[in-house]
Amino acid sequence: MDNKEKQSGFGTRAVHAGHHVDPQTGAHAVPIYATSTFGYFNAGRGARLFAGEESGYFYSRVLNPTVRAFEEKLANLEGTEDAIAFASGMGAASAIALTFLKQGDEVAFVGPLYGGTEGLLNEVMTGFGVTIREAHDLHELRNVVSQKTRLVWLETPMNPTLGIIDLKAAAEIAHNAGALCVVDNTFATPYLTRPAEHGVDIIMHSATKYLGGHGDVIAGVVATRADLSEPLRGHGLRHVGAALGPFEAYFLIRGMKTLPLRMDRHCHNAAALAEALKDHPNVKKLYYPGLSDHPGHEVATRQMNGKYGGLVSLDLGSQENAFTFLNALKLFTQAVSLGDVESLSSHPASTTHQLLGEETLTRQGITPGLVRLSVGIEDESDLIADVKRNCSAG
Ligand SMILES: Cc1ncc(COP(=O)(O)O)c(C=O)c1O
């Protein structure tokens, strides 16, 4: 895209950013560059590529043209200077941790985070002498940051309780402590929230979810400023090595072209489902930031482009009720993950968040009766009928 096209609307950029008709062949879709290595053509050029004196492709662990097209599309949509793709969301998270943390540093996070991210911080990074401090809201976050805090790690909406964090306020807390602010933007996607506009330094995604959108790829990506992407590519990608393959990048490029269309439908269906369940006698608690009594509703309204995402969580009172409900649903596949065009359902306490242990689960409000629904793009009336019928049965 040229500079003029950078001013285009989100939908136009979702389609066009990051690629153009191939000047050599005229190929309209981004070609899949299935190559591990690239010829230098002469030894001097090879030396310059390795010394970073000349930019270009030399090895697909570090840079590949198909992967680069995906990175450029995502950076454009997030409004950041650069983006770096990884083999999974956890590959992206671990690259951030291993690039920016060293022994003696502290990480402050607002929990719950995705279970794998908490595992990375609490079980892996602590082994390298990093101290992890947990908060549950911005007030607590202010009390747990210190001069040793290097990263403040957040997710909004939060997984699976769909809490909302005011990103501008959180970034300010991080910056006042001299820390970098990291946000996992998987649930919102850049269509709903662009954390860089709120002062966030590092934005990560499990691209497995809404970015890919079709449940056929595992991928991660980090969007950030040039001064941070340089060490991230150098250490987090080149030395740690969780590189994305070109086939996956191709699927992601294709999926992201319809991101706004899919997100509009996900958000519409989730809002309709939440409305239908609002006063249901078997639903003990409903978590959806679009509800006016949700504690994060006001922040979500201004931070999420007037939409509230495609996830709805509900507490059915007990694990038994939750399991009965999940087993009876017809249109929701019981599976982890989210953001696919197909609706998915999960029981976080016994699956994605199980490793956190009972005490943490209770502290973070991930109760035995909690069910998370990733609302797909099927017909609204079919989804509502499926959920309502089985909620009553539960
Ligand atoms: C919010 C969030 N972040 C990160 C991850 C990890 O991503 P991946 O499964 O692509 O490694 C997930 C996976 O479910 C997630 O939901």
Side-chain angles (χ1 to χ4, degrees):
M1 289 194 112
D2 59 24
N3 275 342
K4 197 162 144 251
E5 284 170 310
K6 280 190 181 149
Q7 317 294 325
S8 308
F10 192 94
T12 306
R13 291 183 289 120
V15 173
H16 290 284
H19 56 91
H20 43 73
V21 173
D22 185 76
Q24 256 182 341
T25 62
H28 174 61
V30 179
I32 300 173
Y33 286 90
T35 180
S36 54
T37 196
F38 300 82
Y40 322 135
F41 303 113
N42 73 62
R45 182 166 179 267
R48 287 194 300 281
L49 285 169
F50 268 76
E53 290 162 10
E54 186 175 326
S55 61
Y57 300 105
F58 58 91
Y59 193 53
S60 281
R61 172 158 36 83
V62 184
L63 207 60
N64 169 286
T66 317
V67 177
R68 188 62 190 150
F70 161 61
E71 292 174 343
E72 286 181 359
K73 191 185 279 296
L74 193 272
N76 180 300
L77 297 183
E78 283 287 5
T80 55
E81 288 173 333
D82 201 3
I84 302 177
F86 293 90
S88 68
M90 287 316 300
S94 53
I96 294 168
L98 292 170
T99 301
F100 296 110
L101 296 171
K102 59 178 190 333
Q103 188 177 14
D105 284 344
E106 294 189 3
V107 177
F109 76 92
V110 179
L113 296 175
Y114 168 63
T117 310
E118 287 202 23
L120 167 71
L121 297 175
N122 284 320
E123 286 165 43
V124 181
M125 297 315 296
T126 48
F128 293 106
V130 174
T131 300
I132 312 299
R133 304 210 181 275
E134 178 180 343
H136 299 98
D137 54 34
L138 293 188
H139 175 70
E140 285 184 22
L141 182 65
R142 272 188 199 94
N143 293 330
V144 300
V145 293
S146 75
Q147 284 183 336
K148 289 187 183 164
T149 310
R150 176 73 178 130
L151 299 179
V152 167
W153 204 303
L154 313 159
E155 245 175 73
T156 183
M158 289 153 85
N159 183 10
T161 47
L162 307 181
I164 299 292
I165 293 173
D166 183 332
L167 290 178
K168 189 164 179 289
E172 251 170 50
I173 295 171
H175 296 158
N176 287 342
L180 295 169
C181 186
V182 182
V183 166
D184 185 330
N185 200 28
T186 301
F187 276 36
T189 82
Y191 182 53
L192 303 187
T193 305
R194 286 168 298 283
E197 291 175 1
H198 302 277
V200 170
D201 306 285
I202 299 171
I203 299 132
M204 65 153 282
H205 287 268
S206 168
T208 313
K209 311 297 180 332
Y210 289 111
L211 296 184
H214 296 75
D216 47 13
V217 95
I218 294 279
V221 64
V222 179
T224 188
R225 308 193 296 262
D227 63 315
L228 300 176
S229 75
E230 204 178 303
L232 192 63
R233 192 179 292 280
H235 297 181
L237 185 59
R238 191 170 176 173
H239 296 159
V240 181
L244 186 72
F247 292 91
E248 285 79 3
Y250 175 84
F251 280 131
L252 291 164
I253 291 164
R254 187 164 70 169
M256 282 166 68
K257 290 182 189 192
T258 57
L259 179 69
L261 299 177
R262 288 185 285 105
M263 287 311 290
D264 279 342
R265 178 80 166 202
H266 284 296
C267 294
H268 172 86
N269 281 352
L273 202 60
E275 190 56 37
L277 290 177
K278 209 168 60 180
D279 300 314
H280 197 291
N282 291 354
V283 177
K284 307 289 175 247
K285 197 164 175 188
L286 188 60
Y287 301 84
Y288 180 65
L291 296 171
S292 57
D293 61 354
H294 184 287
H297 180 68
E298 214 180 292
V299 176
T301 301
R302 70 180 136 82
Q303 195 171 270
M304 296 181 72
N305 198 17
K307 302 186 172 76
Y308 302 96
L311 276 294
V312 176
S313 295
L314 49 149
D315 195 330
L316 293 168
S318 68
Q319 175 163 311
E320 197 190 339
N321 288 350
F323 277 23
T324 306
F325 172 70
L326 287 165
N327 289 339
L329 289 174
K330 294 276 181 295
L331 288 174
F332 289 74
T333 304
Q334 286 194 62
V336 293
S337 206
L338 60 110
D340 294 355
V341 289
E342 295 89 359
S343 290
L344 301 172
S345 62
S346 76
H347 182 253
S350 65
T351 58
T352 41
H353 292 67
Q354 188 201 97
L355 283 179
L356 297 182
E358 223 166 284
E359 196 196 315
T360 308
L361 289 176
T362 309
R363 195 171 59 241
Q364 297 188 346
I366 306 169
T367 53
L370 190 77
V371 166
R372 189 189 75 188
L373 300 176
S374 171
V375 185
I377 64 165
E378 300 91 340
D379 283 336
E380 166 193 339
S381 53
D382 291 330
L383 294 174
I384 291 176
D386 195 21
V387 168
K388 274 190 114 170
R389 182 172 54 242
N390 292 303
C391 227
S392 304

